[in-house]
Amino acid sequence: MQLTDVHIGGGVLSVDEDKKAINAVAAMITEEKPDLVIVTGDISFAVPYISGTINNAIAHRLFIRLMERLGVSWTVNFGNHDSEAYNYYGRATVSEMYANEALEHCLFIPDGDLSGEGNHVINVKNSAGLITESFYMIDTHSYTDKDPLGIKWDYDYVKEDQIAWYAAKIEAHKAANAAVFATLSEEQKSAYADLLAPKSLMFMHIPLTEVKAAYDEYVGNGRKDTENVKYVEGFDGETDEVVYCSRTDVDLFETVLEKGSTKALFYGHDHLNNFVLEYKGIRLSYG
């Protein structure tokens, strides 16, 4: 299950809304009973004139307590509101809260010394020890240095070292599966041949520029499919730009195409959008 933009204020002004958000999360997880919950950012919304506090730790602690009580395996990556410039706690401190080894069900284990906080991957393995699926959590950061408070909605972007990390992980997972594959019986090799290159999904908060490119191409063609874009489901509820992505193009989507492992990207950020498009064979999905 993907959840996104829970927006817990954690202050005196947001008590009623926070209860609704927490109850909604609890109700959905209790009903669906997922094996894994991935939260794509903006858990906290400690904006003082809306929530009545700048202490973002309150929201994060509430959410951690909720998820641990629900007893489901879960992880997060962060959004632009999880650590505002004026909040008490920065992104690194927030990351430490989720990486707490005392948490029984949280699978948030940041991987490597990378740009941002909380980049990590979760692998699912079968009984033979082969990776069957990988889930990549990529930090899309917050705002650019030119707009530290987010007043201009000038959103940051995925950095080159994060893209290199993702590409290296894809190759490492192929190599790991090849090593296990060599030890299997001929019958097992026949059954698991398609796992030599394990499939994956990617989760982030701020959509990539390719989401806007795909949406603009679809709308520009009279909301009909094109050679590159296929409509899957959902609708666009945001106005003006509709897709509020970074203004900087990066090579992550091109790397996804090149590596051939990741079949879908999931994100949040734009609350009133829930449309899903397929772009150049990759599923692009709003939470």
Side-chain angles (χ1 to χ4, degrees):
M1 174 187 283
Q2 178 200 8
L3 297 176
T4 194
D5 295 81
V6 184
H7 275 232
I8 299 172
V12 295
L13 300 181
S14 61
V15 171
D16 290 341
E17 293 300 315
D18 291 348
K19 286 180 180 178
K20 292 177 184 177
I22 290 169
N23 286 339
V25 170
M28 286 188 285
I29 292 174
T30 301
E31 174 68 20
E32 293 294 334
K33 298 178 178 60
D35 298 298
L36 174 66
V37 176
I38 296 175
V39 189
T40 50
D42 279 6
I43 294 164
S44 168
F45 193 60
V47 177
Y49 62 90
I50 294 176
S51 65
T53 184
I54 57 174
N55 185 353
N56 54 328
I58 297 172
H60 291 296
R61 286 172 183 150
L62 282 170
F63 192 76
I64 289 170
R65 189 182 312 149
L66 167 67
M67 295 301 294
E68 287 295 293
R69 285 181 177 176
L70 289 170
V72 62
S73 294
W74 64 287
T75 194
V76 303
N77 54 8
F78 300 126
N80 49 297
H81 290 304
D82 284 314
S83 58
E84 300 280 10
Y86 49 77
N87 285 159
Y88 282 172
Y89 300 99
R91 219 172 185 80
T93 303
V94 171
S95 181
E96 290 174 1
M97 294 173 65
Y98 288 92
N100 187 343
E101 293 182 357
L103 301 180
E104 183 179 356
H105 304 287
C106 186
L107 303 179
F108 179 86
I109 304 174
D111 191 344
D113 184 16
L114 298 170
S115 297
E117 296 290 341
N119 302 285
H120 63 291
V121 58
I122 295 172
N123 293 324
V124 179
K125 293 183 179 181
N126 64 13
S127 57
L130 291 163
I131 299 170
T132 61
E133 187 93 15
S134 298
F135 304 112
Y136 288 92
M137 269 55 71
I138 305 287
D139 186 10
T140 49
H141 308 273
S142 187
Y143 312 105
T144 65
D145 293 338
K146 297 178 182 178
D147 185 28
L149 297 177
I151 296 172
K152 301 176 183 177
W153 295 355
D154 189 3
Y155 297 112
D156 210 347
Y157 51 91
V158 177
K159 311 302 181 185
E160 289 185 6
D161 65 325
Q162 295 173 277
I163 300 172
W165 167 83
Y166 160 75
K169 284 292 182 183
I170 295 291
E171 295 305 317
H173 294 159
K174 285 183 183 178
N177 270 15
V180 174
F181 196 81
T183 69
L184 301 180
S185 67
E186 292 304 315
E187 183 179 359
Q188 287 176 310
K189 287 179 179 178
S190 177
Y192 297 142
D194 60 334
L195 297 181
L196 279 170
K199 303 285 192 295
S200 60
L201 304 174
M202 183 181 291
F203 297 81
M204 61 190 67
H205 180 69
I206 300 171
L208 299 178
T209 56
E210 282 78 9
V211 178
K212 181 171 178 56
Y215 173 78
D216 288 347
E217 183 173 322
Y218 175 72
V219 172
N221 195 45
R223 294 183 180 268
K224 296 179 181 178
D225 291 353
T226 70
E227 182 180 352
N228 290 323
V229 185
K230 292 179 173 54
Y231 170 82
V232 179
E233 63 180 353
F235 56 85
D236 47 345
E238 294 289 346
T239 57
D240 299 327
E241 293 184 39
V242 181
V243 177
Y244 289 84
C245 57
S246 172
R247 298 167 191 171
T248 302
D249 289 320
V250 297
D251 292 333
L252 180 56
F253 189 81
E254 286 76 8
T255 305
V256 166
L257 290 175
E258 176 190 334
K259 292 300 178 183
S261 168
T262 301
K263 302 306 177 185
L265 277 59
F266 299 85
Y267 37 85
H269 188 54
D270 300 326
H271 305 161
L272 301 180
N273 291 343
N274 75 348
F275 62 84
V276 181
L277 299 173
E278 187 175 290
Y279 184 53
K280 298 182 179 180
I282 306 297
R283 186 71 61 93
L284 304 176
S285 180
Y286 270 105

